[in-house]
Amino acid sequence: MSILLNEAFLFGLFGGLGLFLYGMKIMSEGLQKLAGERMRKILAALTNNRIMGTLVGIGVTTIIQSSSATTVMVVGFVNAGLMNLMQAIGVVLGANIGTTVTAQIIAFKITKYALPAIGFGVMLKLFCRKNRTYSYVGEALLGFGMLFFGLAIMRDAFDPFKTSEQFRNFFLLIGDNLLLGVLVGTIMTVIVQSSTAVIAITLALATSGLISFEASVALILGENIGTTVTANLAALGTNLAARRTALAHFLFNFIGVAYMLVLFPVFLQVITAITPGDPNLILQTQAQADAFGMRVGDNPYIARHIANTHTLFNVINTLIFLPIVGLLAKLTTVIIRGKDEVAEYHLKYIDTRVLNTPPIALGQARSETRRMGQICLEMVEETTLYLKDPNEKRLDTLVKKEEMVDLLQRDITNFLVALSQQPISSQTSKDIASLMHMVNDFERIGDYCEKIWLLAQRKQQQKIIFSEIADNDIADMAQKARDFLALIVSALDRGDVSVMEKAEFMERTINQTEETYRNGHIARLNTGECAVQPGLVFIDMLHSFEKIGDHTFNVTKALVGRK
């Protein structure tokens, strides 16, 4: 107990763990910024093919270095309706393999390069700010160095336990009682909220010669159960499909650990056969220690055995479950019963669970903004049709879409504000500002559509009749505004920033047309061809369509980076 309360141990353990976790965070953020659009394209490549889904899960998790983050993202995608349960389970299977890459990296004996990596990473980060790629590489290197430096500090902190019989007896008990080891590994992962951190602690203990290979494997199996808790917590309050996805992750790992415990001796033999060296070798002399570049009492081979255990368990588990993904999905529907009610209008792409992954979050915001633009285009088209045929059903649809545009403006803006408070690059900050301008202008387009159909209602209620010339003028303005908006929404979908010249021409045309038709109306008023009351409605409609053109041009400027 006195050792547990030892100041040097506590400072070393918590300081080392803190450096490790923060290093993981910085490295992950640097890699995410480097990957950026590539990661979104990997996710976009997802198909109904379960093998493709598994490969996507491996790729994304390897990039962001966290299976928990991937599964939380997947839960969010399912909740947003972007993935079905079968697709999501495939990604989760791959995520479990992808996260083992981290363990393989930290199993290498490269701790001595930690400080140079930190120094070089800081130099790139501080002195290459104008070159974003070098800056992101520096960020990843800094995190990489901090990760290994924290690992070295934790390993040193465990030195006092080499002489503690109580500590050794406890971990001997874990080696003899595998269920206890699995339970300890699960609880540690739930507390730390990072499976990689628990693996790092296990590696530090094992490399210091404090725990046996059997005890290490039991802790690793427990960690695989504990890591599923994060996704299940993230699924609270989501729809049925999202909760079932999180449950599938738990069942997948829990069942895998269960049969692996039954086959434990065989599993250990396989690991020993594919990994060189004796996993229970303890360096007894200084000569041995010097030969391995380690210390007396250390275990030189166990780190690679632990990393291979983690990888092989997840590969075997994935290969077993991949053909029966359908059965796993059915099992989750049996355990979590019920049927989701699908709302007619809801956020489709945005989910706050991915805010910690800025490239994905920005991609979601773009997708939701494009969707908002498409809804506005439909509103302009429906409004034009309502002018010709004031149908109540069409009006109900317009009112719902206007409410949806208001909802999107509020929620996208809130999401972008939250994203701007994350550690992001200057370019991401500019993209966020542009998207904010876009959603505000799209919302104003919705407002002007509402103004036009309210004018149409007033026209109908007061039995106002336009002349044939006025009807044709309004129809022409409506078509020009619609064509302009359709061009920009299409450019937004394609990410086409070469539309400014055409947009400027269409904007000038709409302004000139509005002026021409307004002057024509004034001339008709002077000759008595038009009455004053219809004229006021006519002028307001013209002005509203012209304002739709103005806000469409504002969207164009945001698209090409001028706003």
mmCIF file of all heavy atoms in Angstrom, residues 24 28 57-58 60-75 91-102 189 193-196 199 223-232 249 252-253 310 314:
data_model
loop_
_atom_site.group_PDB
_atom_site.id
_atom_site.type_symbol
_atom_site.label_atom_id
_atom_site.label_comp_id
_atom_site.label_asym_id
_atom_site.label_seq_id
_atom_site.Cartn_x
_atom_site.Cartn_y
_atom_site.Cartn_z
ATOM 1 N N MET A 24 -1.778 11.257 -27.860
ATOM 2 C CA MET A 24 -2.704 10.564 -28.761
ATOM 3 C C MET A 24 -3.668 11.559 -29.400
ATOM 4 O O MET A 24 -3.948 11.484 -30.600
ATOM 5 C CB MET A 24 -3.497 9.522 -27.979
ATOM 6 C CG MET A 24 -2.814 8.179 -27.803
ATOM 7 S SD MET A 24 -2.656 7.278 -29.368
ATOM 8 C CE MET A 24 -4.384 7.082 -29.789
ATOM 9 N N SER A 28 -3.690 12.385 -33.278
ATOM 10 C CA SER A 28 -4.927 12.081 -33.995
ATOM 11 C C SER A 28 -5.438 13.303 -34.756
ATOM 12 O O SER A 28 -5.831 13.207 -35.919
ATOM 13 C CB SER A 28 -5.993 11.600 -33.007
ATOM 14 O OG SER A 28 -7.215 11.385 -33.647
ATOM 15 N N GLY A 57 -14.114 0.821 -42.111
ATOM 16 C CA GLY A 57 -13.885 0.914 -40.672
ATOM 17 C C GLY A 57 -12.413 0.836 -40.317
ATOM 18 O O GLY A 57 -11.926 1.589 -39.473
ATOM 19 N N ILE A 58 -11.692 -0.073 -40.998
ATOM 20 C CA ILE A 58 -10.249 -0.195 -40.757
ATOM 21 C C ILE A 58 -9.539 1.101 -41.146
ATOM 22 O O ILE A 58 -8.715 1.629 -40.393
ATOM 23 C CB ILE A 58 -9.662 -1.386 -41.552
ATOM 24 C CG1 ILE A 58 -10.215 -2.709 -41.018
ATOM 25 C CG2 ILE A 58 -8.130 -1.391 -41.467
ATOM 26 C CD1 ILE A 58 -9.852 -3.916 -41.875
ATOM 27 N N VAL A 60 -10.691 4.294 -41.617
ATOM 28 C CA VAL A 60 -11.013 5.481 -40.819
ATOM 29 C C VAL A 60 -10.383 5.391 -39.436
ATOM 30 O O VAL A 60 -9.819 6.370 -38.926
ATOM 31 C CB VAL A 60 -12.546 5.659 -40.710
ATOM 32 C CG1 VAL A 60 -12.888 6.747 -39.707
ATOM 33 C CG2 VAL A 60 -13.130 5.992 -42.070
ATOM 34 N N THR A 61 -10.458 4.219 -38.807
ATOM 35 C CA THR A 61 -9.899 4.071 -37.458
ATOM 36 C C THR A 61 -8.382 4.181 -37.472
ATOM 37 O O THR A 61 -7.782 4.722 -36.538
ATOM 38 C CB THR A 61 -10.327 2.725 -36.845
ATOM 39 O OG1 THR A 61 -11.747 2.608 -36.946
ATOM 40 C CG2 THR A 61 -9.932 2.641 -35.380
ATOM 41 N N THR A 62 -7.747 3.671 -38.513
ATOM 42 C CA THR A 62 -6.298 3.816 -38.631
ATOM 43 C C THR A 62 -5.919 5.292 -38.726
ATOM 44 O O THR A 62 -4.917 5.730 -38.158
ATOM 45 C CB THR A 62 -5.780 3.065 -39.876
ATOM 46 O OG1 THR A 62 -6.106 1.676 -39.741
ATOM 47 C CG2 THR A 62 -4.275 3.205 -40.015
ATOM 48 N N ILE A 63 -6.758 6.081 -39.408
ATOM 49 C CA ILE A 63 -6.479 7.510 -39.568
ATOM 50 C C ILE A 63 -6.696 8.272 -38.257
ATOM 51 O O ILE A 63 -5.847 9.049 -37.831
ATOM 52 C CB ILE A 63 -7.365 8.114 -40.683
ATOM 53 C CG1 ILE A 63 -6.934 7.566 -42.044
ATOM 54 C CG2 ILE A 63 -7.269 9.639 -40.684
ATOM 55 C CD1 ILE A 63 -7.899 7.874 -43.163
ATOM 56 N N ILE A 64 -7.830 8.030 -37.603
ATOM 57 C CA ILE A 64 -8.142 8.830 -36.417
ATOM 58 C C ILE A 64 -7.662 8.173 -35.128
ATOM 59 O O ILE A 64 -7.784 8.751 -34.048
ATOM 60 C CB ILE A 64 -9.642 9.150 -36.319
ATOM 61 C CG1 ILE A 64 -10.478 7.879 -36.098
ATOM 62 C CG2 ILE A 64 -10.121 9.882 -37.539
ATOM 63 C CD1 ILE A 64 -11.956 8.167 -35.906
ATOM 64 N N GLN A 65 -7.112 6.956 -35.241
ATOM 65 C CA GLN A 65 -6.448 6.292 -34.112
ATOM 66 C C GLN A 65 -7.368 6.097 -32.910
ATOM 67 O O GLN A 65 -6.942 6.226 -31.773
ATOM 68 C CB GLN A 65 -5.214 7.087 -33.691
ATOM 69 C CG GLN A 65 -4.111 7.107 -34.719
ATOM 70 C CD GLN A 65 -3.403 5.766 -34.855
ATOM 71 O OE1 GLN A 65 -2.739 5.309 -33.965
ATOM 72 N NE2 GLN A 65 -3.574 5.135 -36.000
ATOM 73 N N SER A 66 -8.636 5.768 -33.161
ATOM 74 C CA SER A 66 -9.550 5.531 -32.042
ATOM 75 C C SER A 66 -10.774 4.766 -32.527
ATOM 76 O O SER A 66 -11.562 5.295 -33.314
ATOM 77 C CB SER A 66 -9.986 6.851 -31.413
ATOM 78 O OG SER A 66 -11.007 6.623 -30.472
ATOM 79 N N SER A 67 -10.922 3.529 -32.054
ATOM 80 C CA SER A 67 -12.110 2.752 -32.426
ATOM 81 C C SER A 67 -13.348 3.357 -31.775
ATOM 82 O O SER A 67 -14.444 3.333 -32.352
ATOM 83 C CB SER A 67 -11.954 1.293 -31.995
ATOM 84 O OG SER A 67 -11.839 1.180 -30.590
ATOM 85 N N SER A 68 -13.185 3.914 -30.562
ATOM 86 C CA SER A 68 -14.325 4.540 -29.884
ATOM 87 C C SER A 68 -14.851 5.710 -30.707
ATOM 88 O O SER A 68 -16.057 5.870 -30.875
ATOM 89 C CB SER A 68 -13.915 5.031 -28.492
ATOM 90 O OG SER A 68 -13.577 3.954 -27.659
ATOM 91 N N ALA A 69 -13.928 6.537 -31.245
ATOM 92 C CA ALA A 69 -14.352 7.681 -32.062
ATOM 93 C C ALA A 69 -15.083 7.210 -33.309
ATOM 94 O O ALA A 69 -16.099 7.796 -33.710
ATOM 95 C CB ALA A 69 -13.138 8.523 -32.446
ATOM 96 N N THR A 70 -14.584 6.144 -33.929
ATOM 97 C CA THR A 70 -15.227 5.621 -35.135
ATOM 98 C C THR A 70 -16.623 5.106 -34.823
ATOM 99 O O THR A 70 -17.585 5.400 -35.547
ATOM 100 C CB THR A 70 -14.381 4.498 -35.759
ATOM 101 O OG1 THR A 70 -13.087 5.003 -36.056
ATOM 102 C CG2 THR A 70 -15.023 3.988 -37.048
ATOM 103 N N THR A 71 -16.754 4.319 -33.748
ATOM 104 C CA THR A 71 -18.067 3.772 -33.425
ATOM 105 C C THR A 71 -19.042 4.859 -32.999
ATOM 106 O O THR A 71 -20.234 4.790 -33.307
ATOM 107 C CB THR A 71 -17.958 2.699 -32.321
ATOM 108 O OG1 THR A 71 -17.199 3.207 -31.217
ATOM 109 C CG2 THR A 71 -17.294 1.454 -32.831
ATOM 110 N N VAL A 72 -18.532 5.891 -32.318
ATOM 111 C CA VAL A 72 -19.406 7.022 -31.965
ATOM 112 C C VAL A 72 -19.879 7.725 -33.232
ATOM 113 O O VAL A 72 -21.051 8.110 -33.357
ATOM 114 C CB VAL A 72 -18.668 8.008 -31.034
ATOM 115 C CG1 VAL A 72 -19.428 9.326 -30.920
ATOM 116 C CG2 VAL A 72 -18.502 7.401 -29.649
ATOM 117 N N MET A 73 -18.976 7.896 -34.208
ATOM 118 C CA MET A 73 -19.363 8.488 -35.491
ATOM 119 C C MET A 73 -20.416 7.637 -36.183
ATOM 120 O O MET A 73 -21.406 8.151 -36.705
ATOM 121 C CB MET A 73 -18.144 8.619 -36.411
ATOM 122 C CG MET A 73 -17.390 9.906 -36.269
ATOM 123 S SD MET A 73 -16.267 10.167 -37.658
ATOM 124 C CE MET A 73 -15.050 8.909 -37.359
ATOM 125 N N VAL A 74 -20.194 6.328 -36.181
ATOM 126 C CA VAL A 74 -21.128 5.417 -36.849
ATOM 127 C C VAL A 74 -22.498 5.495 -36.191
ATOM 128 O O VAL A 74 -23.527 5.540 -36.874
ATOM 129 C CB VAL A 74 -20.583 3.969 -36.821
ATOM 130 C CG1 VAL A 74 -21.659 2.979 -37.248
ATOM 131 C CG2 VAL A 74 -19.375 3.842 -37.731
ATOM 132 N N VAL A 75 -22.532 5.529 -34.850
ATOM 133 C CA VAL A 75 -23.800 5.679 -34.138
ATOM 134 C C VAL A 75 -24.495 6.966 -34.586
ATOM 135 O O VAL A 75 -25.708 6.993 -34.818
ATOM 136 C CB VAL A 75 -23.573 5.682 -32.608
ATOM 137 C CG1 VAL A 75 -24.814 6.173 -31.867
ATOM 138 C CG2 VAL A 75 -23.205 4.290 -32.120
ATOM 139 N N VAL A 91 -18.797 -1.534 -40.463
ATOM 140 C CA VAL A 91 -17.790 -0.522 -40.125
ATOM 141 C C VAL A 91 -17.218 -0.776 -38.733
ATOM 142 O O VAL A 91 -16.010 -0.657 -38.506
ATOM 143 C CB VAL A 91 -18.395 0.901 -40.194
ATOM 144 C CG1 VAL A 91 -17.350 1.935 -39.806
ATOM 145 C CG2 VAL A 91 -18.902 1.189 -41.593
ATOM 146 N N VAL A 92 -18.086 -1.141 -37.789
ATOM 147 C CA VAL A 92 -17.638 -1.415 -36.419
ATOM 148 C C VAL A 92 -16.664 -2.592 -36.386
ATOM 149 O O VAL A 92 -15.662 -2.566 -35.660
ATOM 150 C CB VAL A 92 -18.850 -1.673 -35.498
ATOM 151 C CG1 VAL A 92 -18.393 -2.202 -34.144
ATOM 152 C CG2 VAL A 92 -19.657 -0.385 -35.303
ATOM 153 N N LEU A 93 -16.947 -3.628 -37.186
ATOM 154 C CA LEU A 93 -16.024 -4.765 -37.265
ATOM 155 C C LEU A 93 -14.641 -4.293 -37.727
ATOM 156 O O LEU A 93 -13.613 -4.691 -37.173
ATOM 157 C CB LEU A 93 -16.566 -5.821 -38.239
ATOM 158 C CG LEU A 93 -17.854 -6.553 -37.835
ATOM 159 C CD1 LEU A 93 -18.271 -7.525 -38.932
ATOM 160 C CD2 LEU A 93 -17.694 -7.287 -36.533
ATOM 161 N N GLY A 94 -14.628 -3.455 -38.738
ATOM 162 C CA GLY A 94 -13.355 -2.934 -39.237
ATOM 163 C C GLY A 94 -12.664 -2.025 -38.239
ATOM 164 O O GLY A 94 -11.441 -2.028 -38.122
ATOM 165 N N ALA A 95 -13.468 -1.252 -37.482
ATOM 166 C CA ALA A 95 -12.891 -0.330 -36.491
ATOM 167 C C ALA A 95 -12.093 -1.091 -35.441
ATOM 168 O O ALA A 95 -11.053 -0.625 -34.976
ATOM 169 C CB ALA A 95 -14.001 0.480 -35.823
ATOM 170 N N ASN A 96 -12.582 -2.264 -35.072
ATOM 171 C CA ASN A 96 -11.870 -3.053 -34.061
ATOM 172 C C ASN A 96 -10.499 -3.509 -34.555
ATOM 173 O O ASN A 96 -9.571 -3.653 -33.770
ATOM 174 C CB ASN A 96 -12.716 -4.269 -33.670
ATOM 175 C CG ASN A 96 -13.760 -3.920 -32.637
ATOM 176 O OD1 ASN A 96 -14.060 -2.752 -32.422
ATOM 177 N ND2 ASN A 96 -14.319 -4.913 -31.987
ATOM 178 N N ILE A 97 -10.385 -3.735 -35.869
ATOM 179 C CA ILE A 97 -9.067 -4.098 -36.418
ATOM 180 C C ILE A 97 -8.206 -2.847 -36.545
ATOM 181 O O ILE A 97 -7.019 -2.845 -36.201
ATOM 182 C CB ILE A 97 -9.216 -4.783 -37.790
ATOM 183 C CG1 ILE A 97 -9.961 -6.115 -37.649
ATOM 184 C CG2 ILE A 97 -7.844 -5.016 -38.433
ATOM 185 C CD1 ILE A 97 -10.231 -6.823 -38.965
ATOM 186 N N GLY A 98 -8.794 -1.757 -37.019
ATOM 187 C CA GLY A 98 -8.039 -0.516 -37.227
ATOM 188 C C GLY A 98 -7.384 0.003 -35.967
ATOM 189 O O GLY A 98 -6.271 0.538 -36.002
ATOM 190 N N THR A 99 -8.064 -0.167 -34.831
ATOM 191 C CA THR A 99 -7.508 0.371 -33.575
ATOM 192 C C THR A 99 -6.277 -0.393 -33.110
ATOM 193 O O THR A 99 -5.502 0.099 -32.301
ATOM 194 C CB THR A 99 -8.585 0.353 -32.463
ATOM 195 O OG1 THR A 99 -8.143 1.143 -31.375
ATOM 196 C CG2 THR A 99 -8.835 -1.060 -31.958
ATOM 197 N N THR A 100 -6.077 -1.618 -33.621
ATOM 198 C CA THR A 100 -4.905 -2.408 -33.206
ATOM 199 C C THR A 100 -3.615 -1.870 -33.811
ATOM 200 O O THR A 100 -2.530 -2.236 -33.362
ATOM 201 C CB THR A 100 -5.069 -3.891 -33.596
ATOM 202 O OG1 THR A 100 -5.055 -4.031 -35.022
ATOM 203 C CG2 THR A 100 -6.367 -4.467 -33.057
ATOM 204 N N VAL A 101 -3.733 -1.008 -34.825
ATOM 205 C CA VAL A 101 -2.537 -0.414 -35.439
ATOM 206 C C VAL A 101 -1.757 0.389 -34.392
ATOM 207 O O VAL A 101 -0.520 0.370 -34.363
ATOM 208 C CB VAL A 101 -2.929 0.487 -36.630
ATOM 209 C CG1 VAL A 101 -1.722 1.252 -37.157
ATOM 210 C CG2 VAL A 101 -3.542 -0.354 -37.740
ATOM 211 N N THR A 102 -2.492 1.075 -33.515
ATOM 212 C CA THR A 102 -1.836 1.874 -32.480
ATOM 213 C C THR A 102 -0.982 1.006 -31.570
ATOM 214 O O THR A 102 0.158 1.358 -31.246
ATOM 215 C CB THR A 102 -2.891 2.617 -31.629
ATOM 216 O OG1 THR A 102 -3.818 3.255 -32.503
ATOM 217 C CG2 THR A 102 -2.236 3.658 -30.747
ATOM 218 N N THR A 189 -10.625 0.284 -18.690
ATOM 219 C CA THR A 189 -10.968 0.954 -19.954
ATOM 220 C C THR A 189 -12.165 1.871 -19.781
ATOM 221 O O THR A 189 -12.200 2.974 -20.346
ATOM 222 C CB THR A 189 -11.252 -0.083 -21.050
ATOM 223 O OG1 THR A 189 -10.165 -0.996 -21.129
ATOM 224 C CG2 THR A 189 -11.430 0.591 -22.401
ATOM 225 N N GLN A 193 -11.551 5.616 -20.386
ATOM 226 C CA GLN A 193 -12.239 5.960 -21.631
ATOM 227 C C GLN A 193 -11.305 5.935 -22.831
ATOM 228 O O GLN A 193 -11.466 6.714 -23.780
ATOM 229 C CB GLN A 193 -12.921 7.326 -21.512
ATOM 230 C CG GLN A 193 -14.168 7.320 -20.658
ATOM 231 C CD GLN A 193 -15.343 6.619 -21.314
ATOM 232 O OE1 GLN A 193 -15.877 7.088 -22.304
ATOM 233 N NE2 GLN A 193 -15.731 5.476 -20.784
ATOM 234 N N SER A 194 -10.296 5.069 -22.778
ATOM 235 C CA SER A 194 -9.382 4.928 -23.909
ATOM 236 C C SER A 194 -8.784 3.529 -23.884
ATOM 237 O O SER A 194 -8.004 3.212 -22.981
ATOM 238 C CB SER A 194 -8.274 5.975 -23.864
ATOM 239 O OG SER A 194 -7.261 5.679 -24.820
ATOM 240 N N SER A 195 -9.149 2.718 -24.853
ATOM 241 C CA SER A 195 -8.600 1.364 -24.905
ATOM 242 C C SER A 195 -7.093 1.413 -25.159
ATOM 243 O O SER A 195 -6.335 0.593 -24.631
ATOM 244 C CB SER A 195 -9.296 0.561 -26.013
ATOM 245 O OG SER A 195 -9.123 1.187 -27.276
ATOM 246 N N THR A 196 -6.647 2.373 -25.952
ATOM 247 C CA THR A 196 -5.224 2.484 -26.257
ATOM 248 C C THR A 196 -4.416 2.806 -25.006
ATOM 249 O O THR A 196 -3.314 2.289 -24.817
ATOM 250 C CB THR A 196 -4.993 3.582 -27.316
ATOM 251 O OG1 THR A 196 -5.817 3.314 -28.446
ATOM 252 C CG2 THR A 196 -3.541 3.607 -27.760
ATOM 253 N N ILE A 199 -4.020 -0.336 -23.036
ATOM 254 C CA ILE A 199 -3.000 -1.175 -23.672
ATOM 255 C C ILE A 199 -1.611 -0.638 -23.323
ATOM 256 O O ILE A 199 -0.679 -1.408 -23.059
ATOM 257 C CB ILE A 199 -3.203 -1.208 -25.197
ATOM 258 C CG1 ILE A 199 -4.481 -1.975 -25.539
ATOM 259 C CG2 ILE A 199 -2.011 -1.861 -25.900
ATOM 260 C CD1 ILE A 199 -4.875 -1.925 -26.990
ATOM 261 N N GLU A 223 -10.110 -5.169 -22.104
ATOM 262 C CA GLU A 223 -10.101 -3.852 -22.769
ATOM 263 C C GLU A 223 -11.019 -3.847 -23.976
ATOM 264 O O GLU A 223 -11.694 -2.850 -24.263
ATOM 265 C CB GLU A 223 -8.656 -3.512 -23.159
ATOM 266 C CG GLU A 223 -8.511 -2.355 -24.108
ATOM 267 C CD GLU A 223 -8.526 -2.811 -25.567
ATOM 268 O OE1 GLU A 223 -7.891 -3.824 -25.879
ATOM 269 O OE2 GLU A 223 -9.218 -2.155 -26.368
ATOM 270 N N ASN A 224 -11.095 -4.954 -24.707
ATOM 271 C CA ASN A 224 -11.963 -5.040 -25.887
ATOM 272 C C ASN A 224 -13.441 -4.952 -25.513
ATOM 273 O O ASN A 224 -14.249 -4.491 -26.323
ATOM 274 C CB ASN A 224 -11.687 -6.334 -26.651
ATOM 275 C CG ASN A 224 -10.492 -6.219 -27.587
ATOM 276 O OD1 ASN A 224 -10.597 -5.704 -28.688
ATOM 277 N ND2 ASN A 224 -9.331 -6.675 -27.121
ATOM 278 N N ILE A 225 -13.784 -5.391 -24.314
ATOM 279 C CA ILE A 225 -15.172 -5.223 -23.845
ATOM 280 C C ILE A 225 -15.382 -3.785 -23.368
ATOM 281 O O ILE A 225 -16.375 -3.138 -23.699
ATOM 282 C CB ILE A 225 -15.498 -6.218 -22.714
ATOM 283 C CG1 ILE A 225 -15.445 -7.659 -23.230
ATOM 284 C CG2 ILE A 225 -16.884 -5.928 -22.125
ATOM 285 C CD1 ILE A 225 -15.648 -8.717 -22.163
ATOM 286 N N GLY A 226 -14.420 -3.266 -22.590
ATOM 287 C CA GLY A 226 -14.556 -1.924 -22.025
ATOM 288 C C GLY A 226 -14.692 -0.842 -23.073
ATOM 289 O O GLY A 226 -15.411 0.144 -22.870
ATOM 290 N N THR A 227 -14.024 -1.010 -24.217
ATOM 291 C CA THR A 227 -14.058 0.034 -25.250
ATOM 292 C C THR A 227 -15.436 0.183 -25.878
ATOM 293 O O THR A 227 -15.734 1.211 -26.480
ATOM 294 C CB THR A 227 -13.003 -0.264 -26.340
ATOM 295 O OG1 THR A 227 -12.831 0.897 -27.143
ATOM 296 C CG2 THR A 227 -13.427 -1.410 -27.239
ATOM 297 N N THR A 228 -16.296 -0.835 -25.741
ATOM 298 C CA THR A 228 -17.643 -0.745 -26.324
ATOM 299 C C THR A 228 -18.569 0.135 -25.487
ATOM 300 O O THR A 228 -19.621 0.555 -25.960
ATOM 301 C CB THR A 228 -18.275 -2.144 -26.455
ATOM 302 O OG1 THR A 228 -18.486 -2.688 -25.138
ATOM 303 C CG2 THR A 228 -17.378 -3.078 -27.236
ATOM 304 N N VAL A 229 -18.177 0.414 -24.247
ATOM 305 C CA VAL A 229 -19.032 1.205 -23.357
ATOM 306 C C VAL A 229 -19.204 2.616 -23.894
ATOM 307 O O VAL A 229 -20.290 3.204 -23.815
ATOM 308 C CB VAL A 229 -18.446 1.236 -21.932
ATOM 309 C CG1 VAL A 229 -19.227 2.193 -21.038
ATOM 310 C CG2 VAL A 229 -18.445 -0.167 -21.336
ATOM 311 N N THR A 230 -18.135 3.191 -24.482
ATOM 312 C CA THR A 230 -18.191 4.558 -25.002
ATOM 313 C C THR A 230 -19.298 4.711 -26.042
ATOM 314 O O THR A 230 -20.091 5.662 -26.003
ATOM 315 C CB THR A 230 -16.836 4.947 -25.635
ATOM 316 O OG1 THR A 230 -15.808 4.730 -24.686
ATOM 317 C CG2 THR A 230 -16.843 6.410 -26.049
ATOM 318 N N ALA A 231 -19.354 3.773 -26.988
ATOM 319 C CA ALA A 231 -20.369 3.841 -28.042
ATOM 320 C C ALA A 231 -21.765 3.671 -27.470
ATOM 321 O O ALA A 231 -22.715 4.329 -27.904
ATOM 322 C CB ALA A 231 -20.103 2.777 -29.098
ATOM 323 N N ASN A 232 -21.916 2.792 -26.473
ATOM 324 C CA ASN A 232 -23.233 2.588 -25.872
ATOM 325 C C ASN A 232 -23.688 3.815 -25.098
ATOM 326 O O ASN A 232 -24.875 4.150 -25.086
ATOM 327 C CB ASN A 232 -23.213 1.351 -24.969
ATOM 328 C CG ASN A 232 -23.365 0.062 -25.760
ATOM 329 O OD1 ASN A 232 -24.473 -0.357 -26.065
ATOM 330 N ND2 ASN A 232 -22.247 -0.560 -26.117
ATOM 331 N N HIS A 249 -21.846 -3.709 -31.310
ATOM 332 C CA HIS A 249 -20.418 -3.581 -30.992
ATOM 333 C C HIS A 249 -20.096 -4.314 -29.691
ATOM 334 O O HIS A 249 -19.098 -5.045 -29.606
ATOM 335 C CB HIS A 249 -20.079 -2.090 -30.864
ATOM 336 C CG HIS A 249 -18.610 -1.825 -30.731
ATOM 337 N ND1 HIS A 249 -18.118 -0.700 -30.095
ATOM 338 C CD2 HIS A 249 -17.530 -2.529 -31.129
ATOM 339 C CE1 HIS A 249 -16.793 -0.737 -30.116
ATOM 340 N NE2 HIS A 249 -16.412 -1.832 -30.738
ATOM 341 N N PHE A 252 -20.487 -8.182 -30.227
ATOM 342 C CA PHE A 252 -19.387 -8.659 -31.055
ATOM 343 C C PHE A 252 -18.136 -8.919 -30.195
ATOM 344 O O PHE A 252 -17.531 -9.992 -30.246
ATOM 345 C CB PHE A 252 -19.116 -7.610 -32.132
ATOM 346 C CG PHE A 252 -17.828 -7.784 -32.885
ATOM 347 C CD1 PHE A 252 -17.681 -8.813 -33.796
ATOM 348 C CD2 PHE A 252 -16.776 -6.897 -32.707
ATOM 349 C CE1 PHE A 252 -16.499 -8.970 -34.505
ATOM 350 C CE2 PHE A 252 -15.586 -7.054 -33.406
ATOM 351 C CZ PHE A 252 -15.460 -8.098 -34.315
ATOM 352 N N ASN A 253 -17.777 -7.951 -29.374
ATOM 353 C CA ASN A 253 -16.587 -8.096 -28.533
ATOM 354 C C ASN A 253 -16.811 -9.048 -27.365
ATOM 355 O O ASN A 253 -15.931 -9.835 -27.006
ATOM 356 C CB ASN A 253 -16.133 -6.727 -28.018
ATOM 357 C CG ASN A 253 -15.399 -5.935 -29.088
ATOM 358 O OD1 ASN A 253 -15.429 -6.295 -30.254
ATOM 359 N ND2 ASN A 253 -14.751 -4.870 -28.696
ATOM 360 N N HIS A 310 -3.663 -8.453 -29.486
ATOM 361 C CA HIS A 310 -4.738 -7.492 -29.744
ATOM 362 C C HIS A 310 -5.193 -7.560 -31.201
ATOM 363 O O HIS A 310 -6.405 -7.602 -31.492
ATOM 364 C CB HIS A 310 -4.221 -6.089 -29.399
ATOM 365 C CG HIS A 310 -5.278 -5.036 -29.385
ATOM 366 N ND1 HIS A 310 -6.535 -5.247 -28.893
ATOM 367 C CD2 HIS A 310 -5.254 -3.740 -29.800
ATOM 368 C CE1 HIS A 310 -7.242 -4.145 -29.001
ATOM 369 N NE2 HIS A 310 -6.488 -3.217 -29.557
ATOM 370 N N ASN A 314 -8.900 -9.464 -32.792
ATOM 371 C CA ASN A 314 -9.887 -8.703 -33.570
ATOM 372 C C ASN A 314 -10.008 -9.194 -35.009
ATOM 373 O O ASN A 314 -11.097 -9.176 -35.580
ATOM 374 C CB ASN A 314 -9.538 -7.208 -33.524
ATOM 375 C CG ASN A 314 -9.895 -6.577 -32.196
ATOM 376 O OD1 ASN A 314 -11.059 -6.410 -31.875
ATOM 377 N ND2 ASN A 314 -8.894 -6.260 -31.394
#
